[in-house]
Amino acid sequence: MFGTVTKYFREKGYGFIRGEDGKSYFIHNSNLDDEYIESGYYVFFRPFVNDRSDYNAGDITVIDAPERNRQHGKSNK
């Protein structure tokens, strides 16, 4: 499933992705597989259920990152 990282608290090690289905999925840094993410990143992820929540994200891959589209602090158009 595709989605956008809505919040990611690096110091706390967790955050949330808004999936293409409109639901909010929990991200834990143990499920990032060394992928670097920030708020606003467009990602592909695998939804899964655990004993704490029905909406979790794993196997996260960054598809697009806002700063990849910027050059010298300005957005490319």
Side-chain angles (χ1 to χ4, degrees), residues 5 17 26-28 31-33 35 37 43-46 57-62:
V5 178
I17 296 172
F26 179 77
I27 312 162
H28 190 267
N31 293 323
L32 289 178
D33 299 325
E35 190 75 69
I37 63 168
V43 297
F44 181 80
F45 66 98
R46 179 186 53 82
D59 300 329
I60 298 163
T61 303
V62 174

Side-chain angles (χ1 to χ4, degrees), residues 9 15 24 29 31 34 36 41-42 58 60 65 67 70 72 74:
F9 307 101
S24 184
N29 66 358
N31 293 323
D34 295 325
Y36 180 85
Y41 280 26
Y42 187 63
I60 298 163
E67 70 271 5
R70 293 185 189 146
H72 306 296
K74 296 181 181 178

